[in-house]
Amino acid sequence: MRLHRLAITAFGPFGGTQHIDFDELSAAGLFLLHGPTGAGKTSVLDAVCFALYNGVPGSRQGSGLSLRSDHADPGTPTEVVLEFSVAGRRLEVTRRPEQLRPKKRGTGFTREKPFSALRERPADGGPWQPLSRSHQEIGEEVTQLLGMSREQFCQVVLLPQGDFARFLRAEDAARGKLLGKLFDTGRFAAVEDRLAELRRAADAQVRTGDERLLALAHRMRQAAADPSLPEAGVPAPATVAVPAAGTGGATPAG
């Protein structure tokens, strides 16, 4: 996934609208997000996560009202717009949390429902095409495209304020599963499963052969101890009548 542009309005410490052009920032291949405590570094990451998953990292997860900036004008709606590319597609997602806005008539406030919208720009550079306004559909689409849930995305991609150390201390199985999804190791797991299946089949054939050899050895020992016993699997010699030469009679031949 590659981020292109982010617009943050009345979100976290940002009372107005802030635009971030990630294409310009990453033109040199690497950029640093820095600033004093309270400057809004974590809020930028929260805005990316909110745009993608309609939620922020777990430790800061709360109602939509908690995401709204205390410095914003009452008439300015809280909104995050993120433009990004993933799997060869150019997408734009817009999110507005649940929030209070001034009533259009009279005084006081009314509760605004959360809003989500997903658009896609065709490969030929044509105008944006609307895809969905369903929170659930957009969430499923983003999760499928990125291959990670919100919790996994926060663990692997967004690791501010010491969370990276917590990820390193996670259980091996959980970390392995997460990294396997991130780097798409499913094909290697399928090869491993196939090789394990072939190994089990070969082991079964070896065990069957060993059992047959042991059975034959046991029967050979029995035959050596008691010569009167017929050899297992070997038919007794047949008696054939052969005519005697010049007599027309027959003498037994064994």
Side-chain angles (χ1 to χ4, degrees), residues 6-9 11 47-48 50-51 78-82 93-95:
L6 176 67
I8 310 172
T9 303
F11 183 92
V48 172
F50 179 70
T78 298
E79 181 180 83
V80 175
V81 182
L82 176 66
V93 60
T94 301
R95 302 276 195 184

Side-chain angles (χ1 to χ4, degrees), residues 113-196:
K113 293 183 178 180
F115 171 84
S116 297
L118 181 65
R119 302 193 303 172
E120 181 173 7
R121 171 165 284 178
D124 59 6
W128 289 97
Q129 301 296 321
L131 295 181
S132 176
R133 289 195 174 186
S134 167
H135 301 300
Q136 182 177 355
E137 288 181 358
I138 295 174
E140 292 175 352
E141 182 76 9
V142 170
T143 300
Q144 182 177 1
L145 287 172
L146 299 185
M148 291 180 285
S149 65
R150 178 175 62 87
E151 292 76 13
Q152 293 171 332
F153 181 82
C154 294
Q155 283 183 327
V156 175
V157 181
L158 302 182
L159 296 170
Q161 299 181 356
D163 286 346
F164 181 66
R166 183 166 57 86
F167 167 73
L168 293 178
R169 291 193 297 267
E171 294 280 340
D172 289 342
R175 191 167 63 245
K177 182 178 180 181
L178 183 58
L179 293 175
K181 276 189 141 184
L182 178 65
F183 296 105
D184 191 20
T185 60
R187 59 188 183 278
F188 302 111
V191 172
E192 184 180 4
D193 291 341
R194 177 58 178 164
L195 292 175

Side-chain angles (χ1 to χ4, degrees), residues 37-52:
T37 301
K41 302 183 298 296
T42 300
S43 294
V44 171
L45 303 179
D46 286 349
V48 172
C49 185
F50 179 70
L52 294 173

Side-chain angles (χ1 to χ4, degrees), residues 14 26 36 62 64 69 79 82 84 90 97 99 101-102 144 159 163 183 186 192 202-203 216 226 229 235 254:
F14 307 110
S26 58
S69 175
E79 181 180 83
L82 176 66
F84 63 101
R90 186 83 170 229
Q99 55 192 300
R101 63 167 177 82
Q144 182 177 1
L159 296 170
D163 286 346
F183 296 105
E192 184 180 4
D203 287 343
L216 289 174
D226 188 355
L229 293 176

